[in-house]
């Protein structure tokens, strides 16, 4: 299958609801307030803050207890101060991390996403270390004391290693939270009997809206559908392709009734257009369509290929 390209060059696109203008539902509001942050964002920030604070308190209690067992004194206050100064700076850097995660979600290509993630991790860790040390130095200076970070490569790497785990966990939480919210928003905008990504206009036709153009498509003309970041790509039998904003899961839910089923984690195939299936020893398989195109399927979805019966060719 040809690589999926031009995601960023395509206009923001979606599925036409094919309704008269006066009958359209109002857009779903995200209820954005201060700095464009929605209520859902505040809920997410709050949950992360509670977990971070709880983890910091437990770490402080454990460190104080370990010190007491070593005969160094319990000194819980000092341990709490170390932990809370770190947690405070981490919480302050979360908005930057959220922006990076959302930029990654909009960016096609694993290499680009990895680059954005690496820059975000390095930036957040640098801010965390600098801010944490600054708070400790300033607070102890006010108290008439001093704080020595013992700056060295080993010390910075030690902190960076901990930051990597912390920020990856937070970024994963943000990614999952946003994915769940996108699915709920899509479901909220779906008219009865249709998914968020498409609107049937008859028993054998659907509307696609590609930019400013509306395209009426017969499901039989679809060869395959593939995920492309926040988009899904449709390949038609006449060779044309359409990049549509949406999710593969939403497309699958509507197209399965037309015999277009999942054959790979990121791909759907129209089994009615398949002329042969080559089963591999690994369990994977290759579909050949009636126009000569081929598409790889994974062993997890081998049952889809098995349903084609005499069109399968054992390896």
């Amino acid at each position: 299958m040809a690589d999926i390209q031009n995601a960023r060059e395509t206009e923001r696109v979606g599925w036409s609801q094919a309704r008269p203008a006066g009958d359209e539902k109002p857009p779903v509001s995200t209820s954005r307030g201060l700095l464009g942050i929605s209520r859902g964002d505040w809920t997410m920030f709050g949950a992360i803050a509670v977990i971070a604070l709880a983890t910091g308190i437990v770490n402080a209690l454990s460190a104080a207890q370990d010190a007491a067992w070593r005969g160094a004194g319990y000194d819980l206050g000092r341990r709490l101060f170390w932990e809370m100064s770190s947690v405070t700076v981490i919480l302050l850097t979360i908005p930057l991390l959220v922006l990076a995660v959302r930029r990654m979600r909009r960016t096609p290509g694993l290499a680009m996403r990895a680059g954005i993630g690496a820059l975000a991790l390095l930036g957040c860790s640098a801010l965390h270390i600098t801010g944490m040390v600054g708070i400790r130095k300033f607070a102890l200076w006010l108290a008439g004391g001093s704080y020595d970070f013992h700056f060295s490569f080993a010390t910075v790497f030690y902190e960076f290693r901990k930051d990597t785990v912390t920020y990856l966990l937070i970024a994963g939480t943000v990614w999952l939270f946003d994915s769940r919210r996108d699915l709920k928003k899509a479901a909220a905008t779906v008219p009865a009997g249709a998914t968020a990504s498409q609107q049937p206009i008859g028993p054998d036709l659907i509307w696609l809206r590609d930019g400013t153009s509306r395209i009426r498509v017969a499901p039989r003309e679809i060869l395959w559908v593939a995920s492309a970041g926040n988009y899904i790509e449709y390949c038609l039998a006449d060779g044309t392709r359409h990049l549509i904003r949406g999710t593969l899961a939403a497309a699958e839910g509507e197209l399965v009734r037309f015999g277009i089923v999942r054959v790979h984690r990121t791909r759907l195939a129209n089994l009615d257009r398949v002329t042969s299936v080559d089963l591999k020893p690994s369990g994977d398989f290759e579909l050949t369509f009636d126009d000569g195109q081929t598409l790889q399927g994974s062993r997890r979805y081998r049952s889809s290929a098995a349903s084609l019966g005499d069109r399968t060719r054992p390896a």
Side-chain angles (χ1 to χ4, degrees):
M1 182 184 72
D3 291 337
I4 298 168
Q5 298 176 339
N6 303 323
R8 286 187 290 177
E9 297 177 6
T10 305
E11 296 183 57
R12 293 183 64 85
V13 292
W15 294 90
S16 169
Q17 300 305 314
R19 290 197 299 262
D23 193 38
E24 294 182 357
K25 294 182 179 180
V28 176
S29 171
T30 56
S31 301
R32 296 195 176 274
L34 182 64
L35 300 179
I37 299 176
S38 69
R39 286 198 299 268
D41 288 336
W42 286 117
T43 300
M44 177 180 65
F45 293 156
I48 293 174
V50 169
I51 294 172
L53 289 170
T55 302
I57 292 172
V58 170
N59 287 343
L61 290 169
S62 299
Q65 186 63 65
D66 289 344
W69 283 337
R70 293 195 303 268
Y74 195 69
D75 197 8
L76 178 60
R78 185 166 64 92
R79 307 287 178 179
L80 277 173
F81 173 64
W82 297 151
E83 291 293 334
M84 291 304 104
S85 61
S86 175
V87 168
T88 297
V89 180
I90 287 175
L91 294 179
L92 290 174
T93 60
I94 286 179
L96 177 61
L97 188 65
V98 170
L99 290 175
V101 170
R102 290 175 178 170
R103 179 62 181 269
M104 290 172 66
R105 286 170 56 81
R106 296 192 302 269
T107 302
L110 181 60
M112 288 294 294
R113 288 182 173 184
I116 294 171
L119 288 175
L121 175 60
L122 290 170
C124 287
S125 181
L127 290 173
H128 171 236
I129 295 172
T130 303
M132 173 186 69
V133 172
I135 289 175
R136 293 175 181 179
K137 283 183 174 292
F138 181 69
L140 290 178
W141 174 77
L142 289 178
S146 63
Y147 173 74
D148 186 2
F149 179 61
H150 302 293
F151 182 84
S152 67
F153 174 79
T155 306
V156 171
F157 181 74
Y158 170 78
E159 294 293 339
F160 176 74
R161 183 178 59 189
K162 294 192 298 180
D163 285 348
T164 299
V165 176
T166 300
Y167 284 118
L168 285 178
L169 289 174
I170 295 174
T173 300
V174 174
W175 190 293
L176 292 174
F177 189 94
D178 280 0
S179 296
R180 181 173 179 271
R181 182 167 54 184
D182 287 347
L183 289 175
K184 291 177 69 175
K185 285 171 61 179
T189 59
V190 178
T195 67
S197 59
Q198 56 194 9
Q199 169 69 38
I201 61 173
D204 299 312
L205 294 173
I206 57 176
W207 275 112
L208 305 184
R209 188 178 69 203
D210 189 354
T212 58
S213 302
R214 293 185 176 186
I215 305 153
R216 192 166 63 174
V217 174
R220 171 166 172 74
E221 296 305 309
I222 299 172
L223 291 183
W224 50 258
V225 185
S227 174
N230 291 334
Y231 296 82
I232 45 179
E233 184 179 20
Y234 281 73
C235 178
L236 305 185
D238 63 3
T240 60
R241 298 189 182 189
H242 302 286
L243 201 59
I244 306 299
R245 190 170 181 83
T247 66
L248 194 65
E252 179 185 21
E254 182 61 34
L255 295 174
V256 66
R257 63 195 177 98
F258 298 111
I260 302 174
V261 301
R262 194 178 293 256
V263 295
H264 187 274
R265 182 177 60 85
T266 62
R267 302 170 201 135
L268 310 178
N270 188 344
L271 299 186
D272 290 339
R273 305 296 299 251
V274 173
T275 57
S276 66
V277 184
D278 187 10
L279 302 178
K280 308 294 184 182
S282 64
D284 295 341
F285 54 95
E286 183 179 79
L287 304 176
T288 301
F289 295 102
D290 51 17
D291 71 339
Q293 283 196 64
T294 59
L295 184 72
Q296 299 298 317
S298 67
R299 58 185 177 182
R300 179 179 176 185
Y301 302 98
R302 189 172 176 128
S303 59
S304 298
S307 68
L308 294 172
D310 58 5
R311 281 178 277 182
T312 58
R313 298 197 306 268

